[in-house]
Amino acid sequence: MRAIIQYIQSYLGSDQTPGAAGNMFWALVYIMVVFAGLSVAVIAMNWLERKILAHMQVRLGPMRVGPHGLLQPIADAIKLLLKEDIMPSEADGFVFWMAPFIVVLAAFTVFVVVPFGPTHAITDMNIGILFMLGVSSLSVLGIVMAGWASNSHYPLIGALRSSAQMVSYEVAMGLAVVSAILMTSLNAEGTGTLSMIGIVQAQQAQGEWFIFKFFPLGLIAFFIFAVAMVAETNRAPFDLAEAESELTAGFHTEYSGFRWSLFFLAEYSAMIAVSSIAVTLWLGGWLRPFPNFLSGATWDRAFSLFPGVVFLLFAAMCFYNAVRMPKHPLFRIQTIGLAGFGVVLGLIGLVLFVPAVSLRVQDIFWFSAKIAGFMYLYIWYRGTFPRYRFDQLMQMGWKVLLPLGLGVLILTATVALLQQRIWHP
Amino acid sequence: MTDPNSSLSNLDLETPEKPFLDANELVINMGPQHPATHGVLRVILRLDGEKVLGLECVIGYLHRGVEKIGEHRTYTMFNPYVDRMDYVAAVSNGLGYCETVEKLLNVEAPPRAQHVRVILTELNRIASHQLWLGTHALDIGAITPLFYTFRDREEILKIYEKYCGARLTTHAFRIGGLQYETYTGFEQEVKNFLQFFRPKIDEYEELLTTNRIWVERTKNVGIISGKDCIALGVTGPVLRASGVKWDLRKAQPYANYKNFDFDIPIGENGDTYDRYLVRMAEMRQSVRIIQQAVEALPEGPIMAKVPKVMKPAAGEVYHSIEAPKGELGYFIVSDGSTQPYRVRVRPPSFVNLQALDVMCRGQLVADVIAVIGTLDIVLGEVDR
Amino acid sequence: MVAKLKGNYGSGIEALTYAGQNYMLVNRSLIPEILQVLRNEEQFDFCVDITAVHYPQRENQFDVLWILYSFARNERIRVKTQIRDGESVPSSVPIWTGANWLEREVYDMFGIKFDGHPDMKRILLPDGWKGHPLRKDYGILQQDNEWVQINLGIESGQ
């Protein structure tokens, strides 16, 4: 017993991730926390997407289940779980059954290396970024399987579109990633890193996020990645694989109930995964904004108040809306619920003001906040843009992004070389 | 084609291109339950990969036998039935029918009725184009304009609701004039709507006209030349977008359109983008017409002298109007009894839909959706 | 115009007017030529509509009508011919491509066949339907019960 407790305690105070420190217990805890957090994030994302999109489109969105529709995603999840699971009679049963699992597996596995903080990751691999790109592109396999196994035309075309799209955008994506990795080697030893944590630490060491590095080269590489990642996740305006007005629902046309919700889950967690790559590579990962010219202990202290303030603002929003609720007995439960939600958020905010807490979680806060920015962008795109056509999509991937990526890579390499050899020999 | 002068001699409809590398053709059934076929249209696509080799439309899922019903109802009783054909432009249907019967009876609606007819019909044109714009943009993937157009269409429907009690199948006109006198504040409400609506068109255009993806998706898609349009009998905005400046409101003015000053917007290339621009411009012209009509709304009776029991002399009349979709014609044969001997409706959507095959050949699947949207068909009118 | 046509084709043409609208009654045998001439020489390049009317009491049961429009002259004309039940009419698809569906609809509703039409089949009603609904002897409540029972699996559609 004591040995176990000692084993558990031995990790505390370590400056490594549990995976890298080789501590099974904490690794398992982290896995559970990450996956639970991810599921909650997907649920929240579902609600937020519907709400934000609705407000962009002069309507209210879900309003009935819970105050302001807050419980809507839960109701949806229950509905999906209770739905009949239909498999087309002519479908290839095993492949049809496998496909959603492969997609979900690929989407979730990448979170093993996502660095929420210097020690807040399940593990730290020295090939972290390659692992992420590699595993996340496995999901195309599941999509092709889904499309083929459904034995129907729309899913087949959707799967073909999707696989072609993902494969071709991965090329541009890879080039952009390489140019960011190149920047990590700009140190005294001249050694770069592929580790996700190492990449952020390199940005910390250089005092500059890679998006601003070698202006505008870093920015262009980031832009290429930002476009490619939307295509990679099959979201608007590149949602051809599931273009509902053309292919009804694309590769998951024949799926229903729980299997369909797995695809849904995978799509949203893939969105979070690619956003976390972008955040890690270009936006300084868990680092707070302005690490270089607003540095010093005072600013550190000021920025550490941020998480608490944000949560208090959310709480205030809840209270404001609770006050605005119609004064009618029918709305009493909703009003109380909303106020209760505000209280919970407010308490979290207050806890975050405790220095010991805020010091430990502000990394996670900044990382999540940056991802949330990307999520908002995803929703915004969806509300604004029409859908690209397949040939136009391919044209953009191969004729615009790929040469641009190559050019940026070459220029970055040249500038980096010049900087190391000539300006700072 | 035997005739060398035939305008379609360059248009080979019978032999499709060979598929690349002799690959198998993929036959896809689109509809009748499909989100983008605007109702119950069924399109059978023959594809080479994503390229369309040819298509066949299967229609008739909404066939209700309107023409047969017409033979079994009196002239007045049949009037509400025509609202159910093009249900997004019910007022235009009613106008065409009433004017045709008036021609048979040899009566003319009084000026006040004519003015109100023009106002309501043009409002209807705007409503119809708004619905088209929203759904067309939705098909192409822009989901937001739909809600903007529906928000503004609501204002028009409110005016209808106040005027005749109905919002969709508005039975607003009677043979010989109007059933109802306009309600108090009608003119002011129409004026307010115009004031409200003018900036809204700019809002729609801001979302789409210069949007790169929108332009790429619609430019050079579904091109049809003016000659082909005429040969296929295509009318309305589709014809005008192909560069033919022809609008029945100008060419053969009905109601009292000759009193109003407006332009006929035309396009150049006859592609989806031009059709979009033409319809946007038409909304602006409609606003212009309504403005003139509502400012010069005369006083006076709203019904001409028509007999209670209508028995037109034996004869036949064809009359057509410029409905939002194109030329909407009625051919009515009277045998001197209270019921029409034969009512024939010339539905613009039905004839325009024929052009789908020509416009989609060689394009991609995604373009078929765009072209169906841009033809602006209403299946209730195609199938009647 | 009509005078010229009359001169060329003799008594097969009769020009009439009702309510200010011109139409001409043409012999069935002259139809293809007249339509061709109207299209090519008189610039009636727009075939607005093709339809038919059923008069069961007459010997020539059907009126078949072409409603034509000329963009150049801004003028409409109706060409009308009378045919017996079972008689066919030459198709005008080679003259106006747009006549395709209109002729199919006339066939669907009246059972009048058009010779030389590329795809003479029903358009609005299902392919196996029996009867042509716009004929006067087809009742307004009538339907092809057999078809409904086989294809829809219900006793009656009414």
Side-chain angles (χ1 to χ4, degrees), chain A residues 55-84:
Chain A
H55 284 283
M56 282 177 185
Q57 294 168 345
V58 291
R59 61 199 171 92
L60 290 172
M63 284 300 274
R64 294 299 174 97
V65 190
H68 287 260
L70 268 172
L71 300 178
Q72 184 70 42
I74 294 164
D76 281 349
I78 292 170
K79 177 200 75 177
L80 282 172
L81 291 178
L82 294 181
K83 265 196 171 178
E84 188 190 353

Side-chain angles (χ1 to χ4, degrees), chain A residues 46 50 76-77 79-81 83-86 96 100-101 103-104 242 248-268:
Chain A
N46 179 12
R50 294 167 72 165
D76 281 349
K79 177 200 75 177
L80 282 172
L81 291 178
K83 265 196 171 178
E84 188 190 353
D85 184 25
I86 299 164
F96 190 82
F101 291 107
V103 176
V104 169
E242 46 202 85
T248 49
F251 59 86
H252 54 60
T253 306
E254 302 289 348
Y255 281 83
S256 62
F258 183 62
R259 287 175 217 279
W260 181 83
S261 63
L262 286 184
F263 277 116
F264 182 81
L265 197 66
E267 181 184 325
Y268 280 83

Side-chain angles (χ1 to χ4, degrees), chain A residues 161 245-246 383 387 392, chain B residues 34 50 139-140 144 216-217:
Chain A
R161 281 182 175 187
S245 57
E246 294 160 23
R387 185 179 303 117
Q392 292 161 351
Chain B
H34 187 276
E50 289 234 354
D139 290 346
I140 291 186
T144 308
E216 274 184 41
R217 276 303 300 277

Side-chain angles (χ1 to χ4, degrees), chain B residues 8 56 59-60 67-68 71 230-231 233 235 246 251-252 316 318 320 327 341-342 344 346 354 384, chain C residues 18 21 45 48-49 51-52 54 69 71 74 76 80 97-98 101 105 121 123-124 133-136 138:
Chain B
L8 274 180
E56 194 190 339
I59 56 174
E67 294 177 14
K68 186 79 179 175
E71 295 172 9
I230 293 169
T235 45
W246 184 75
Q252 300 188 331
E316 52 184 57
Y318 176 84
S320 60
E327 176 174 346
Y341 188 74
R342 165 102 171 91
R344 158 73 185 167
R346 191 257 183 211
Q354 277 193 83
R384 277 155 294 138
Chain C
Y18 182 81
Q21 299 184 342
D45 43 7
V48 179
D49 201 358
T51 187
H54 188 203
Y69 177 81
F71 283 96
N74 188 16
R76 271 178 214 287
K80 193 171 177 184
T97 326
W101 284 19
E105 197 187 343
K121 61 176 187 193
I123 185 163
L124 291 178
L134 281 183
R135 289 181 175 221
K136 288 286 175 190
Y138 194 99

Side-chain angles (χ1 to χ4, degrees), chain A residues 53-305:
Chain A
L53 210 54
H55 284 283
M56 282 177 185
Q57 294 168 345
V58 291
R59 61 199 171 92
L60 290 172
M63 284 300 274
R64 294 299 174 97
V65 190
H68 287 260
L70 268 172
L71 300 178
Q72 184 70 42
I74 294 164
D76 281 349
I78 292 170
K79 177 200 75 177
L80 282 172
L81 291 178
L82 294 181
K83 265 196 171 178
E84 188 190 353
D85 184 25
I86 299 164
M87 188 186 285
S89 56
E90 294 294 310
D92 185 327
F94 178 68
V95 183
F96 190 82
W97 175 84
M98 275 290 285
F101 291 107
I102 289 189
V103 176
V104 169
L105 203 71
F108 274 115
T109 310
V110 290
F111 283 93
V112 166
V113 290
V114 169
F116 295 95
T119 59
H120 301 307
I122 295 171
T123 188
D124 180 27
M125 289 191 204
N126 54 2
I127 52 156
I129 182 76
L130 287 185
F131 177 82
M132 277 204 92
L133 290 177
V135 173
S136 71
S137 56
L138 272 184
S139 68
V140 72
L141 195 68
I143 288 176
V144 171
M145 279 165 70
W148 183 79
S150 301
N151 199 1
S152 163
H153 280 151
Y154 287 123
L156 186 66
I157 294 185
L160 288 177
R161 281 182 175 187
S162 164
S163 48
Q165 173 183 343
M166 285 168 103
V167 168
S168 36
Y169 272 79
E170 236 148 52
V171 181
M173 202 174 188
L175 285 172
V177 167
V178 170
S179 79
I181 291 168
L182 243 170
M183 293 173 180
T184 61
S185 66
L186 296 173
N187 50 23
E189 299 92 52
T191 51
T193 175
L194 290 174
S195 143
M196 296 290 271
I197 291 181
I199 291 168
V200 180
Q201 279 165 345
Q203 296 181 50
Q204 197 169 16
Q206 295 177 26
E208 195 172 18
W209 293 2
F210 285 161
I211 186 174
F212 303 117
K213 190 98 184 163
F214 300 149
F215 189 82
L217 290 180
L219 191 66
I220 296 172
F222 169 75
F223 166 77
I224 293 168
F225 189 90
V227 173
M229 80 186 200
V230 181
E232 182 79 9
T233 46
N234 287 328
R235 289 281 303 185
F238 303 106
D239 57 344
L240 302 118
E242 46 202 85
E244 79 267 6
S245 57
E246 294 160 23
L247 304 177
T248 49
F251 59 86
H252 54 60
T253 306
E254 302 289 348
Y255 281 83
S256 62
F258 183 62
R259 287 175 217 279
W260 181 83
S261 63
L262 286 184
F263 277 116
F264 182 81
L265 197 66
E267 181 184 325
Y268 280 83
S269 53
M271 279 157 64
I272 298 176
V274 285
S275 310
S276 65
I277 299 181
V279 167
T280 310
L281 286 181
W282 283 280
L283 297 180
W286 64 80
L287 302 178
R288 65 170 177 80
F290 313 114
N292 42 1
F293 59 81
L294 294 184
S295 54
T298 333
W299 282 110
D300 279 347
R301 183 88 196 96
F303 273 106
S304 75
L305 294 177

Side-chain angles (χ1 to χ4, degrees), chain B residues 39-344:
Chain B
V40 284
L41 172 66
R42 178 175 165 215
V43 184
I44 302 170
L45 292 167
R46 287 189 296 121
L47 302 178
D48 168 21
E50 289 234 354
K51 203 168 149 201
V52 179
L53 297 175
L55 58 83
E56 194 190 339
C57 294
V58 181
I59 56 174
Y61 291 93
L62 212 57
H63 180 59
R64 293 150 295 175
V66 167
E67 294 177 14
K68 186 79 179 175
I69 295 171
E71 295 172 9
H72 291 257
R73 296 282 178 274
T74 63
Y75 287 94
T76 336
M77 279 161 78
F78 184 55
N79 200 353
Y81 279 93
V82 297
D83 296 337
R84 272 80 180 162
M85 291 190 311
D86 180 356
Y87 38 75
V88 297
V91 179
S92 303
N93 294 350
L95 178 69
Y97 177 73
C98 292
E99 291 216 325
T100 316
V101 180
E102 280 161 20
K103 268 208 167 149
L104 263 178
L105 288 165
N106 206 10
V107 294
E108 202 173 325
R112 182 173 171 83
Q114 300 270 25
H115 264 73
V116 175
R117 281 180 174 189
V118 166
I119 293 170
L120 291 179
T121 319
E122 290 304 317
L123 281 176
N124 201 184
R125 190 184 309 277
I126 294 175
S128 168
H129 281 356
Q130 277 176 327
L131 189 120
W132 157 80
L133 176 67
T135 51
H136 183 40
L138 183 68
D139 290 346
I140 291 186
I143 47 180
T144 308
L146 177 76
F147 296 97
Y148 288 5
T149 55
F150 268 56
R151 172 193 63 192
D152 306 337
R153 185 167 169 264
E154 191 65 26
E155 302 301 316
I156 298 178
L157 298 188
K158 273 182 198 157
I159 295 177
Y160 284 154
E161 195 177 3
K162 267 192 160 174
Y163 176 70
C164 64
R167 289 155 56 88
L168 194 69
T169 48
T170 45
H171 182 35
F173 306 147
R174 297 295 183 274
I175 296 157
L178 308 167
Q179 175 83 342
Y180 311 106
E181 182 52 83
T182 56
Y183 58 89
T184 335
F186 171 76
E187 292 161 55
Q188 193 51 45
E189 250 171 60
V190 172
K191 277 181 197 161
N192 288 350
F193 168 75
L194 297 180
Q195 200 67 33
F196 158 85
F197 184 60
R198 268 192 207 103
K200 298 292 179 200
I201 309 178
D202 299 328
E203 200 175 280
Y204 308 153
E205 290 225 46
E206 213 167 288
L207 264 171
L208 296 173
T209 306
T210 50
N211 186 325
R212 265 192 61 149
I213 304 178
W214 178 261
V215 175
E216 274 184 41
R217 276 303 300 277
T218 52
K219 266 239 154 95
N220 296 323
V221 167
I223 299 180
I224 186 165
S225 69
K227 265 176 123 182
D228 288 349
C229 275
I230 293 169
L232 284 163
V234 173
T235 45
V238 184
L239 176 70
R240 288 192 281 276
S242 301
V244 180
K245 197 165 184 166
W246 184 75
D247 189 322
L248 270 171
R249 288 175 291 176
K250 285 268 194 213
Q252 300 188 331
Y254 54 94
N256 54 353
Y257 276 106
K258 55 183 178 299
N259 300 340
F260 303 120
D261 181 30
F262 63 97
D263 303 324
I264 308 175
I266 56 165
E268 286 167 9
N269 308 319
D271 56 10
T272 306
Y273 188 66
D274 278 10
R275 286 189 279 275
Y276 157 76
L277 289 182
V278 162
R279 288 203 176 94
M280 294 314 263
E282 264 179 26
M283 283 203 245
R284 291 179 202 276
Q285 295 303 328
S286 291
V287 168
R288 245 176 98 186
I289 297 172
I290 300 168
Q291 185 79 45
Q292 294 169 39
V294 78
E295 268 164 15
L297 191 62
E299 293 297 322
I302 53 163
M303 279 293 276
K305 278 215 176 328
V306 282
K308 275 259 162 56
V309 180
M310 277 172 217
K311 277 189 180 179
E316 52 184 57
V317 151
Y318 176 84
H319 179 67
S320 60
I321 63 157
E322 184 75 29
K325 272 97 189 160
E327 176 174 346
L328 172 71
Y330 289 88
F331 174 68
I332 299 181
V333 182
S334 158
D335 60 351
S337 71
T338 54
Q339 296 173 346
Y341 188 74
R342 165 102 171 91
V343 185
R344 158 73 185 167

